Amino acid sequence: MINLDVKHLQNFLAPHELEQLEGQAQAAWDLIKNGGGPGQEFLGWFDLPINYDRQEFDRILECASQIRDDSQVLLVAGIGGSYLGAKAFIEAMGPLWESQAAKKAKQVPEILYVGNNLSPAYYLDLMDYVGDRDFSLNIVSKSGGTLESALAFRLLRQEMEEKYGLEEAAKRIYATTDKAKGKLKKLADEKGYETFVIPDNIGGRYSVLTAVGLLPMAVAGLDIGAMLEGAQQYKLQMEKEELASAAIRYAMIRNALYRKGYRVEVLASFDQELRSLSEWWKQLFGESEGKDHRGIYPASVSYSTDLHSLGQFLQDGSRILFETFLSVAEPRRDLAIPSDEEDRDELNYLAGKSLGEIQAIALDATALAHADGGVPNLRLTLGRLDELHLGALIFFFEAACGVSGYMNAINPFDQEGVEAYKKNMFALMGKPGMEALAQELQNRI
Ligand code: PA5
């Protein structure tokens, strides 16, 4: 389902450089499979494709169908791991653009994401855009206390209550949060919202195959059963192949390159459907690995667009980068280049080729040029853009990230660093109990 091609690493890594990492990779993989490493209490994602809650799965499908019946818009309020996965995989399945009329005919609400920034214009323009369309709201927050999403929820809840009245509004709000702790769970129970659980043992960025991602993806019409099936298939394959699996080889290659001074991994794709997937990938790896003043900085580019901007840096700038091309073997759609009698643009040599073929050639050409320019690159190819393959890709990246983090001797499952800005922000905003810190920060601003 996922192929790893390493031919453009030849000039950068000798075979022994990977062989000598095998012991560390095996130890890291054992910690993922059996626990025992730092953050082991957050390994729930590993067995999730097999032991997920079937009753909750059915309830997700029922609620998705309800939302499709009564709403033209679903607002998903969440930040980080609480929305990036849903957005990534809904967009990956396309279509890239669909008119509101077409969505209405298919009974697929438009899905919009809120609570992931603090921009007043974003919020107000978005609500103008929703206009008088019927909407439902999925608030997603494991902690229930994240400022960005909690604020969006407060604003939207009030809009909703004004528009529909308290009783109807309560039926249109779906809360995805932890099972018992936290303000959101308490509020949801008191108000009678439908709730879904983010298991205690699954962190935000590993949660796309829980209700966090499954509810919005089901509303968008994705086959979420096939997605879990794909993840399960890849997990079983990895358990069989172990160190020979593409996921563990990918983790080993990243670590080998990092140790040779390649500090930035650029995820590069020519497929426009994968733009948001890159954002999900960046969060998964960035928040998991950037710790203790170590880690590979995950960046992304969307080609061909970025070949005409960042491409210059990739080809010829500081040699601190390696590149991971992510492509799809069978394009979701394809079209042929027509011939032109006059051929004034001199493009007839391409007539008869499909745009997909031209894109594949552009990828080959870019990978070669970048390798020649001193950028080690590897290629991950997904068989098709369907739910089964995307489910496999989710597990692939999650497992690779866990193994890679353990190989680099950090805890891939916490995110202490994210708290620093929050502490300052809450103090400066005047949160009760934080007056002393507020004073100290004010003096330094
Ligand atoms: O991966 C993570 O744990 C984070 O990115 C969280 O998903 C993000 O901070 C949102 O947290 P919460 O769901 O508690 O609002």
Side-chain angles (χ1 to χ4, degrees):
M1 280 199 275
I2 300 157
N3 184 56
L4 170 66
D5 179 345
V6 296
K7 68 174 164 298
H8 293 314
L9 290 177
Q10 266 165 17
N11 295 334
F12 302 94
L13 283 181
H16 74 269
E17 292 179 275
L18 287 174
E19 278 157 28
Q20 286 174 2
L21 285 181
E22 280 173 8
Q24 286 178 32
Q26 184 66 54
W29 171 235
D30 288 345
L31 291 178
I32 297 290
K33 275 188 309 183
N34 309 322
Q40 60 173 337
E41 62 280 21
F42 292 110
L43 280 170
W45 57 271
F46 188 70
D47 287 322
L48 181 73
I50 291 177
N51 69 9
Y52 64 91
D53 180 340
R54 265 63 181 175
Q55 276 177 357
E56 185 170 91
F57 181 86
D58 291 343
R59 210 155 47 82
I60 289 172
L61 291 179
E62 279 163 30
C63 291
S65 147
Q66 176 67 34
I67 295 169
R68 290 166 68 116
D69 278 350
D70 66 18
S71 303
Q72 291 157 283
V73 176
L74 171 67
L75 298 174
V76 177
I79 193 165
S82 288
Y83 89 105
L84 283 165
K87 186 167 192 287
F89 297 99
I90 289 169
E91 286 182 19
M93 287 295 295
L96 286 164
W97 293 279
E98 194 167 38
S99 68
Q100 288 181 18
K103 281 196 183 293
K104 201 167 173 185
K106 277 166 52 188
Q107 262 205 324
V108 175
E110 182 166 15
I111 302 191
L112 300 170
Y113 304 89
V114 291
N116 54 60
N117 62 63
L118 291 168
S119 159
Y122 180 97
Y123 170 80
L124 289 167
D125 290 356
L126 181 128
M127 287 320 292
D128 288 346
Y129 176 65
V130 172
D132 59 8
R133 286 184 286 166
D134 281 315
F135 69 99
S136 292
L137 172 60
N138 180 202
I139 165 73
V140 187
S141 179
K142 186 172 180 187
S143 61
T146 304
L147 184 74
E148 290 84 346
S149 40
L151 270 180
F153 184 45
R154 173 186 278 212
L155 293 165
L156 290 165
R157 196 170 65 231
Q158 292 191 354
E159 298 242 3
M160 199 164 227
E161 287 170 352
E162 264 167 43
K163 177 168 172 152
Y164 293 106
L166 283 181
E167 205 178 314
E168 168 76 8
K171 292 191 188 135
R172 290 176 169 272
I173 296 177
Y174 300 81
T176 308
T177 187
D178 76 344
K179 71 173 184 304
K181 307 176 289 228
K183 298 190 252 298
L184 179 56
K185 173 67 181 158
K186 202 158 160 266
L187 174 75
D189 286 346
E190 277 167 21
K191 298 257 187 186
Y193 306 148
E194 188 78 39
T195 60
F196 296 100
V197 175
I198 310 174
D200 286 345
N201 61 358
I202 301 184
R205 59 193 174 277
Y206 291 83
S207 71
V208 58
L209 291 176
T210 70
V212 169
L214 295 182
L215 179 63
M217 292 194 291
V219 172
L222 270 59
D223 181 348
I224 55 173
M227 219 144 187
L228 284 156
E229 170 65 27
Q232 186 185 128
Q233 282 185 20
Y234 196 75
K235 171 183 158 69
L236 297 175
Q237 186 179 332
M238 265 190 90
E239 285 172 333
K240 212 158 72 200
E241 296 177 346
E242 302 231 300
L243 261 59
S245 68
I248 297 187
R249 284 194 296 136
Y250 171 54
M252 288 167 67
I253 291 165
R254 300 175 78 250
N255 271 273
L257 291 169
Y258 176 64
R259 288 168 204 200
K260 293 189 88 170
Y262 296 99
R263 294 289 187 253
V264 179
E265 177 178 9
V266 180
L267 188 72
S269 181
F270 280 77
D271 293 290
Q272 296 302 300
E273 294 98 325
L274 302 184
R275 289 180 88 126
S276 288
L277 200 151
S278 298
E279 299 304 313
W280 171 80
W281 173 88
K282 282 193 283 197
Q283 192 222 355
L284 178 64
F285 281 84
E287 213 169 57
S288 298
E289 289 194 311
K291 292 179 188 155
D292 305 332
H293 296 186
R294 281 205 298 278
I296 300 168
Y297 183 84
S300 68
V301 288
S302 178
Y303 291 154
S304 291
T305 314
D306 289 329
L307 283 175
H308 296 260
S309 57
L310 296 169
Q312 170 63 36
F313 195 108
L314 268 287
Q315 187 65 47
D316 208 20
S318 315
R319 303 296 72 184
I320 52 168
L321 311 160
F322 68 96
E323 200 171 17
T324 299
F325 286 94
L326 179 61
S327 65
V328 184
E330 276 176 39
R332 188 166 56 85
R333 306 176 76 180
D334 207 352
L335 77 164
I337 306 300
S339 121
D340 184 302
E341 238 172 64
E342 293 183 350
D343 196 26
R344 294 258 176 89
D345 51 13
E346 298 174 12
L347 287 176
N348 268 355
Y349 74 102
L350 292 175
K353 282 202 189 328
S354 79
L355 200 53
E357 285 168 336
I358 292 172
Q359 180 183 286
I361 294 168
L363 194 159
D364 284 336
T366 308
L368 260 179
H370 288 179
D372 289 345
V375 179
N377 61 71
L378 49 139
R379 191 181 303 186
L380 295 170
T381 310
L382 196 62
R384 263 197 311 278
L385 266 187
D386 62 13
E387 289 92 337
L388 196 80
H389 285 78
L390 289 171
L393 189 68
I394 290 169
F395 196 86
F396 170 95
F397 277 134
E398 288 177 347
C401 184
V403 170
S404 183
Y406 277 149
M407 286 182 75
N408 204 18
I410 49 89
N411 174 354
F413 305 114
D414 66 359
Q415 57 282 324
E416 305 272 302
V418 180
E419 297 310 312
Y421 97 94
K422 290 189 194 168
K423 206 167 93 189
N424 287 355
M425 181 175 72
F426 285 128
L428 289 169
M429 283 174 181
K431 193 170 178 177
M434 301 184 84
E435 294 77 6
L437 179 61
Q439 188 58 55
E440 187 221 313
L441 295 174
Q442 284 293 2
N443 294 338
R444 290 172 46 211
I445 283 176

